[in-house]
Amino acid sequence: MLPLIASNDAFKSLIETHVDEWGNVISSAGVKEFFILVFSAVAMGLAMSILYRRVTGKGIALSSQNLAITLVILPPVIAAVVFLVGNNLAAAFSLAGVFSITRFRSAAANSKDLTFIFVSMAIGLSCGTGFVLYGAAITIILSVVLLVLSELSYGENKTTPKILRINVPESLSFTGMFDPILQKYAVSWDIARMRTVDLGATYEISFKIMTKENIDEKAFIDELRCLNGNMNIILMLDKRGDGRGEM
């Protein structure tokens, strides 16, 4: 069996080849090596996809099914391309030209998704160049690191950003009115948007707030209602981070 930790030149020198009548190089050993590398990349990509579902499948940051599938497919695709291109400079430039005219219109992923994408690319490159054991080492080490950081909730805020919308009558002077209550229930707050509704008869004030841990949200809203004349008050998660909130 061919060594799985070797450069392209090293393992290609071990492959017996012959040339057909059209001048094409045929190698049965090369086909076997190709399948070993691709299936190894599939197995490692599947491991990263399972880890991605485990790490991002809880809480607010739900995992994406599309990315979970991509993490399985991306490593073998990269491995196959790198293996087939090899040291062929013309093929490498052709491949670069193909990618340069390709446009992706999907929304930009968040930093955690990009981390998994880069890891999958590293796995694909490792397998494609014949360093399968290095790819396995990358998969194991980074999987352990990501899993430990996730279980420890490293860098995670203990509270989530929220949007507080308060309607007040047009005749009410509301500047600084809600600050004492916000100081009691929130760590920080800021006015994100202010507009008039109901043909100018009502002001709608949107606050971006970071509430304290384990607050009584009913008591929070009840105290605000005493100040705004019992008009509408909405408290929601700010999942998109744009200050508009999400129902």
Side-chain angles (χ1 to χ4, degrees):
M1 180 176 290
L2 299 177
L4 294 182
I5 299 182
S7 66
N8 272 346
D9 293 336
F11 71 71
K12 285 181 179 179
S13 64
L14 300 175
I15 299 175
E16 297 180 358
T17 60
H18 65 276
V19 181
D20 62 13
E21 56 184 322
W22 295 283
N24 297 320
V25 177
I26 301 176
S27 170
S28 58
V31 174
K32 294 178 182 178
E33 185 75 16
F34 174 79
F35 280 107
I36 292 174
L37 299 180
V38 170
F39 281 111
S40 299
V42 170
M44 297 177 198
L46 180 60
M48 293 306 302
S49 179
I50 294 174
L51 178 66
Y52 169 74
R53 298 283 294 181
R54 170 71 182 274
V55 171
T56 61
K58 59 183 180 179
I60 297 175
L62 297 179
S63 59
S64 166
Q65 182 185 17
N66 292 335
L67 183 56
I69 296 174
T70 300
L71 293 177
V72 180
I73 302 300
L74 185 60
V77 170
I78 294 178
V81 171
V82 172
F83 180 87
L84 294 175
V85 170
N87 295 325
N88 191 326
L89 188 61
F93 276 107
S94 300
L95 184 64
V98 170
F99 280 109
S100 67
I101 63 175
T102 303
R103 300 182 61 186
F104 299 94
R105 299 183 181 273
S106 59
N110 57 46
S111 56
K112 185 178 291 185
D113 291 351
L114 288 175
T115 299
F116 280 93
I117 292 174
F118 285 134
V119 172
S120 296
M121 293 174 63
I123 292 171
L125 290 172
S126 299
C127 293
T129 53
F131 294 93
V132 176
L133 294 184
Y134 286 168
I138 292 173
T139 304
I140 295 172
I141 294 173
L142 294 183
S143 295
V144 172
V145 172
L146 290 171
L147 186 59
V148 170
L149 293 178
S150 175
E151 292 299 323
L152 295 177
S153 299
Y154 178 79
E156 182 178 340
N157 291 325
K158 295 184 179 180
T159 59
T160 55
K162 298 178 182 178
I163 292 296
L164 175 65
R165 290 180 182 172
I166 305 176
N167 285 12
V168 297
E170 183 268 340
S171 59
L172 186 65
S173 178
F174 52 81
T175 303
M177 174 188 299
F178 305 104
D179 288 353
I181 299 177
L182 292 174
Q183 187 174 7
K184 178 180 177 181
Y185 289 97
V187 177
S188 62
W189 66 91
D190 192 16
I191 296 179
R193 185 175 60 174
M194 184 185 303
R195 65 173 182 172
T196 59
V197 294
D198 298 333
L199 300 178
T202 305
Y203 281 97
E204 182 186 84
I205 313 168
S206 297
F207 292 91
K208 293 183 66 174
I209 68 172
M210 188 74 70
T211 57
K212 297 179 181 179
E213 293 184 66
N214 302 321
I215 66 168
D216 187 344
E217 295 180 345
K218 181 180 183 303
F220 179 33
I221 294 177
D222 286 343
E223 292 188 29
L224 292 172
R225 289 169 55 197
C226 295
L227 296 180
N228 78 328
N230 202 27
M231 299 187 70
N232 288 340
I233 296 177
I234 301 176
L235 181 64
M236 70 186 80
L237 294 176
D238 188 18
K239 293 183 179 180
R240 295 181 295 184
D242 58 1
R244 295 185 178 183
E246 182 172 329
M247 297 295 292

